[in-house]
Amino acid sequence: MSQQSFFKRKWVQIGLAVGVITLGVIGSEVLVATAPTASRKPPEKVARLVTTEPVQAGNHNVSLLGYGVVQAEQQITLQARVSGAVKRIGDKFVPGATFKKGDVLIELDNTDYRIELQTAQANLAQAQSTFTSEQGNQVVAQSDFDLLGMNVDERERALILRKPQLEAARATVQSAQAGVERAKVNLERTILRAPFDGVVVSREASVGAQVSATTALGVLASSKAFWISVAVPQADLKWIRFPTGNQPGSTVCVSDASSAEQNCHPGRVLSLQTSVQDSGRQAQVLVEVPRNFGPQHQPLLLAQYVKVRFDGIELQNVFKLAPSSVHDSNVWVNDNGELDIRPVNIAYRAADYVLIDRGLSNGENIVTSNLGSPVNRMAIRTNEPSQTPSPATEAAKP
């Protein structure tokens, strides 16, 4: 084959390849130009499904919670007024036992005090006898003075009529009477009686032990009432009602710090103490709880750590909502199918409720669902058939 034929054949092959490529490009452009186009639709608006509940204003007490330690209204250390050996310990002088005022707790050996009383009574009898004799001597002296008709001054007259001797005898009688009374009191003090209704906290006395006026025999606590000093933030004192005149203080409910308050003990606020707590700088409110609770109550114990719920001042015409329904200072309201993110005024916020005094109206439905990204006026819906759909909700329907 000649060289000229070879080159001619090569150019023919190149031309065919270029033609094929050109036809492919033109065909693809025609297909793209003549392909059907899909019309773009705007995204559908889907109303968020929520749960709601109506609100109604009412009067609600502000409820505060504080903590404190139970102590007795009265607590004393039992001590003897006289010295002696412990002869007998009363059956009710046992730690934890209750007693009534006047019950015998301890008896001391009274032998020495009975002898002292007998001696004092003998001294009194002797003094009275001397006084009686001196009264007779005065009568005789008066008779002799009248017979003699002596003219003397008052000082000499008193001496002649034995008035100093009579006064001395009278003073001796009075001293002897005091000695008898003192001996009787000391004899009575050998029996130690309960000074009030109460409970025995502890006992240190033992039969046969020698005691004196400085010996601690035990600790007694009054059973009339418990006192609890409750730590309360100073800013919350405005919600607590303190006694003024005939108006009692706020009521309280006291229960163990770890309980759920089913068996709380009712009580009342007594006073606001004059000092603040060292730790936390909180105010101290004194609360009293009577001990006349029934058997259905778990009894309070001295030194028990308790929580105290105060029924504080009543707020009128407020809405009580769950904390989960209040978002910062806003409430979500279902406004005819649209979300109304509405600012409200919080009168009081507690751990388990919030009181709203402005921003809501009776009968409005608040949204109780948790919305991830709420937008004001966004479309919402509920499963309630009575809800009237908003224009935004109608537009969202297919």
Side-chain angles (χ1 to χ4, degrees):
M1 181 180 294
S2 66
Q3 187 176 7
Q4 184 177 3
S5 298
F6 176 77
F7 283 110
K8 183 177 180 179
R9 185 177 178 181
K10 284 291 185 181
W11 281 109
V12 171
Q13 291 176 349
I14 292 172
L16 290 175
V18 171
V20 171
I21 293 173
T22 302
L23 289 176
V25 171
I26 294 174
S28 62
E29 289 181 353
V30 170
L31 290 176
V32 171
T34 58
T37 59
S39 60
R40 179 174 297 177
K41 294 182 180 180
E44 295 183 356
K45 297 181 179 179
V46 179
R48 301 278 292 274
L49 180 64
V50 298
T51 58
T52 63
E53 66 177 16
V55 293
Q56 189 73 29
N59 301 335
H60 299 280
N61 287 90
V62 173
S63 180
L64 305 175
L65 191 62
Y67 294 86
V69 177
V70 177
Q71 60 187 25
E73 178 202 19
Q74 299 182 74
Q75 183 166 308
I76 65 168
T77 299
L78 183 65
Q79 292 177 299
R81 301 288 297 276
V82 294
S83 60
V86 177
K87 179 180 179 181
R88 188 178 74 86
I89 294 179
D91 296 337
K92 296 184 178 179
F93 194 36
V94 178
T98 59
F99 53 80
K100 295 293 184 180
K101 181 179 180 179
D103 286 347
V104 176
L105 302 179
I106 291 179
E107 289 186 26
L108 302 180
D109 184 7
N110 63 2
T111 303
D112 294 340
Y113 298 100
R114 285 190 291 106
I115 294 174
E116 287 183 5
L117 177 58
Q118 292 173 357
T119 303
Q121 289 172 337
N123 293 336
L124 175 59
Q126 183 177 357
Q128 288 174 334
S129 176
T130 302
F131 179 69
T132 302
S133 298
E134 189 57 41
Q135 284 179 320
N137 293 335
Q138 188 180 38
V139 171
V140 173
Q142 181 69 47
S143 176
D144 292 342
F145 182 78
D146 293 339
L147 288 175
L148 294 175
M150 299 174 62
N151 186 14
V152 295
D153 58 21
E154 287 297 324
R155 180 175 177 276
E156 292 177 342
R157 178 185 176 89
L159 292 173
I160 294 172
L161 297 179
R162 299 181 60 86
K163 286 187 177 180
Q165 290 84 345
L166 183 64
E167 293 300 324
R170 180 181 287 111
T172 302
V173 170
Q174 292 175 346
S175 177
Q177 288 175 337
V180 171
E181 293 299 322
R182 182 170 54 253
K184 287 181 178 179
V185 170
N186 287 338
L187 181 61
E188 291 176 356
R189 286 174 175 172
T190 59
I191 299 178
L192 280 68
R193 300 181 183 274
F196 45 67
D197 295 349
V199 61
V200 179
V201 179
S202 64
R203 190 188 81 184
E204 287 78 31
S206 300
V207 174
Q210 186 71 28
V211 302
S212 64
T214 59
T215 305
L217 303 176
V219 177
L220 310 179
S222 171
S223 61
K224 178 182 177 182
F226 289 115
W227 280 3
I228 305 168
S229 185
V230 186
V232 176
Q234 298 182 48
D236 290 340
L237 293 178
K238 61 183 178 181
W239 304 115
I240 300 176
R241 185 175 63 252
F242 294 95
T244 55
N246 296 328
Q247 183 180 13
S250 296
T251 59
V252 298
C253 181
V254 180
S255 60
D256 186 78
S258 60
S259 72
E261 292 191 14
Q262 285 88 350
N263 295 322
C264 66
H265 302 273
R268 282 199 176 275
V269 171
L270 277 186
S271 64
L272 174 64
Q273 296 178 272
T274 56
S275 60
V276 297
Q277 190 181 47
D278 292 338
S279 59
R281 313 305 296 172
Q282 292 186 314
Q284 299 293 297
V285 178
L286 186 61
V287 168
E288 183 180 62
V289 180
R291 291 190 58 136
N292 56 348
F293 44 79
Q296 71 276 11
H297 289 90
Q298 182 70 24
L300 293 177
L301 303 176
L302 294 176
Q304 181 181 1
Y305 188 60
V306 294
K307 60 182 175 183
V308 181
R309 179 173 53 80
F310 295 85
D311 294 327
I313 294 175
E314 184 181 65
L315 295 181
Q316 298 183 349
N317 198 30
V318 293
F319 298 89
K320 187 175 184 179
L321 305 182
S324 59
S325 298
V326 181
H327 312 277
D328 293 332
S329 296
N330 297 319
V331 172
W332 299 340
V333 180
N334 183 4
D335 185 11
N336 293 323
E338 291 184 345
L339 181 66
D340 181 11
I341 302 178
R342 186 179 303 176
V344 294
N345 185 70
I346 299 175
Y348 180 75
R349 185 191 294 270
D352 53 349
Y353 68 92
V354 179
L355 298 181
I356 308 295
D357 60 357
R358 291 195 304 273
L360 292 175
S361 300
N362 288 329
E364 288 189 308
N365 291 300
I366 64 169
V367 177
T368 58
S369 301
N370 185 19
L371 299 176
S373 300
V375 179
N376 195 35
R377 313 315 300 183
M378 67 184 290
I380 57 176
R381 61 190 176 89
T382 68
N383 289 328
E384 301 173 4
S386 59
Q387 176 173 311
T388 302
S390 67
T393 307
E394 288 291 344
K397 293 181 179 180

